[in-house]
Amino acid sequence: MKSVEAKWEAVFQKSYGTPKLNIISGKGCYLLADNKKRYLDFIGGIATSVLGHAHPAIIKAVRNQIATVAHVSNLYANPESIKLASKLIEMTGDEDARVFFCNSGAEANEAALKLSRKTGRTKVVSTLGGFHGRTMGALSLTGQSEKRDLFAPIIEKINYVPYGDITAMRRAVSKKTAMVIVEPIQGENGVITPPAGYLKALRELCDEYGTLLVIDAVQTGMGRTGFWFGYEHEEITPDVITLAKGLGGGLPLGAMIAIGPAAHLFKPGEHGSTFGGNPVSCAAGLAAINEIEKKALNEKALELGEFLKSELLTIEGVIEVRGRGLLLGIVLQQDWAKEIANYLLAKGVLVNAPNSNTIRIAPPLIVTKIECAKFVKIFTEVIANG
Ligand SMILES: *Cc1c(COP(=O)(O)O)cnc(C)c1O
């Protein structure tokens, strides 16, 4: 029989590294591969599978909706997308918010970038290390030259400043700046948390210059960091919030939410997405939000995050645990994160290594304390045995 690697390489382009596992099913926080092994999923489809795998609420919502009507496009309204948009507006705490639905994080940020052009300004400030997606616009916003440089020229007039450095931001922002885009925590960059007060200071700066503050909550959103969108602990209101990953409860769904005057910048015909607001994805998204609310999974995410942090910090060879809630970056003393991720895989635990000394975990929000303890136990063994 052909290996997973051989089957994969026979059909796919080389844009991804060749995967080691072929996943055939999932249940809760576990995935089953075609090697018959069960894996504890501590990466959750990269922060997408908020309710884990094959959750009854998602199955029910998707089944009902797909048996009713699967797609209508934006030529027509549909009740599910209206319901989800209303819910998202309520979650922002600002009834002046308006939603644009798309299918991914990159598209949500593309939408934000286009929206910012409608201010009449063209300059953008982003952060070094920030990740905003792989399409040309979103890539241009991304402050990682290794991802951008091969695809030059990117969109011009984008200035990248050090993350968490408000002085650098002050130097970069002017009356010509259309938008500033930041993640509340830099996920892809290794789960980097900015100093307290950073988002608040950004809000004040953007107010001073009439610049749109865009919060990319694609990875931090949907309760993962204890709040809906990952910025609320600083008590700010952004002009734009971008969402995807966990938004669809495991289905593809993105949103660009604009608040206040920014909510009225687009005029009919100025932006669109054929699948945006797809009823099946929206039904799944609503089911996910209902479940997160019902079970207070955001509060649980904070508690379990604290539990994981305190346990992991006792392990020799772990020097820091960054992040908030169930988005954590475990910083290792040695540059062997890729090897550790492979050892964990061999022991039946899935994580990701965004750089040479960091293990990122983003388990489903339904993860239990017992599963977290199991993760810590296996992680401890793997670090000890090398
Ligand atoms: C994953 C991610 C994106 C891109 O999302 P896609 O759905 O892959 O396009 C954008 N911003 C952040 C912060 C992300 O983590």
Side-chain angles (χ1 to χ4, degrees):
M1 206 179 80
K2 268 199 195 171
S3 67
V4 176
E5 283 92 341
K7 282 189 211 163
W8 166 276
E9 284 168 2
V11 293
F12 290 120
Q13 297 184 22
K14 296 192 191 303
S15 64
Y16 303 102
T18 306
K20 296 188 174 64
L21 289 183
N22 202 10
I23 302 292
I24 50 173
S25 69
K27 185 87 196 142
C29 290
Y30 283 89
L31 286 169
L32 186 74
D34 68 353
N35 61 10
K36 306 252 170 18
K37 278 197 196 158
R38 228 163 63 107
Y39 293 87
L40 180 60
D41 183 9
F42 257 56
I43 193 62
I46 317 185
T48 56
S49 310
V50 283
L51 299 190
H53 308 289
H55 192 284
I58 301 285
I59 296 173
K60 187 173 164 209
V62 168
R63 273 207 179 125
N64 283 346
Q65 190 54 44
I66 208 151
T68 307
V69 64
H71 187 62
V72 297
S73 88
N74 290 295
L75 293 175
Y76 312 100
N78 76 80
E80 297 309 305
S81 71
I82 292 175
K83 263 189 257 168
L84 179 58
S86 321
K87 187 70 203 172
L88 290 172
I89 290 169
E90 184 193 312
M91 284 152 62
T92 66
D94 196 320
E95 59 186 30
D96 288 336
R98 292 291 183 273
V99 178
F100 174 83
F101 280 127
C102 50
N103 312 287
S104 67
E107 283 176 65
N109 288 325
E110 290 284 347
L113 183 59
K114 273 183 79 175
L115 186 83
S116 80
R117 290 285 168 101
K118 301 252 23 222
T119 60
R121 305 179 184 183
T122 53
K123 290 195 174 175
V124 173
V125 181
S126 180
T127 58
L128 286 166
F131 180 77
H132 302 292
R134 303 285 198 147
T135 56
M136 284 310 284
L139 183 66
S140 303
L141 299 172
T142 292
Q144 303 181 8
S145 56
E146 64 280 10
K147 293 201 173 76
R148 268 188 344 250
D149 289 353
L150 284 168
F151 302 96
I154 55 157
I155 290 183
E156 53 183 346
K157 298 186 183 171
I158 292 175
N159 189 356
Y160 312 96
V161 301
Y163 185 63
D165 182 344
I166 192 68
T167 312
M169 268 292 176
R170 271 201 200 101
R171 261 186 244 121
V173 174
S174 74
K175 285 221 156 78
K176 291 183 177 162
T177 311
M179 68 183 253
V180 168
I181 183 165
V182 289
E183 296 163 79
I185 294 172
Q186 284 188 335
E188 299 299 312
N189 196 31
V191 193
I192 313 286
T193 314
Y198 181 58
L199 299 177
K200 216 172 210 162
L202 281 181
R203 179 67 278 176
E204 281 163 18
L205 182 66
C206 288
D207 281 343
E208 189 181 334
Y209 290 98
T211 294
L212 298 179
L213 176 59
V214 181
I215 296 287
D216 179 344
V218 169
Q219 191 158 155
T220 50
M222 307 322 289
R224 177 160 299 281
T225 58
F227 295 95
W228 280 125
F229 307 127
Y231 63 79
E232 294 97 322
H233 60 289
E234 297 233 339
E235 293 170 353
I236 59 156
T237 303
D239 299 292
V240 176
I241 305 163
T242 55
L243 297 171
K245 292 207 164 89
L247 179 61
L251 269 75
L253 182 62
M256 187 274 283
I257 307 172
I259 299 171
H264 307 284
L265 287 171
F266 277 147
K267 299 287 176 286
E270 290 180 345
H271 197 47
S273 164
T274 301
F275 269 119
N278 171 268
V280 180
S281 295
C282 287
L286 271 167
I289 291 170
N290 285 340
E291 195 68 16
I292 293 168
E293 277 188 328
K294 208 163 71 189
K295 305 267 165 72
L297 294 181
N298 50 344
E299 286 162 34
K300 241 188 76 194
L302 271 186
E303 275 168 38
L304 289 177
E306 286 310 308
F307 169 70
L308 282 165
K309 250 188 199 175
S310 65
E311 293 286 310
L312 290 164
L313 278 170
T314 65
I315 301 172
E316 210 180 305
V318 171
I319 53 173
E320 192 189 353
V321 182
R322 293 189 295 244
R324 187 175 287 118
L326 290 174
L327 178 61
L328 297 176
I330 309 165
V331 186
L332 309 175
Q333 203 161 19
Q334 296 179 51
D335 278 346
W336 64 342
K338 309 268 171 199
E339 287 91 333
I340 293 295
N342 283 334
Y343 296 147
L344 284 167
L345 179 98
K347 295 270 182 198
V349 176
L350 306 181
V351 299
N352 151 264
N355 61 41
S356 63
N357 73 344
T358 311
I359 296 287
R360 173 174 49 172
I361 58 172
L365 304 184
I366 57 158
V367 72
T368 63
K369 194 162 180 182
I370 291 170
E371 285 160 343
C372 289
K374 180 174 173 179
F375 170 79
V376 172
K377 184 166 170 281
I378 299 173
F379 193 87
T380 309
E381 286 166 13
V382 161
I383 295 273
N385 299 330

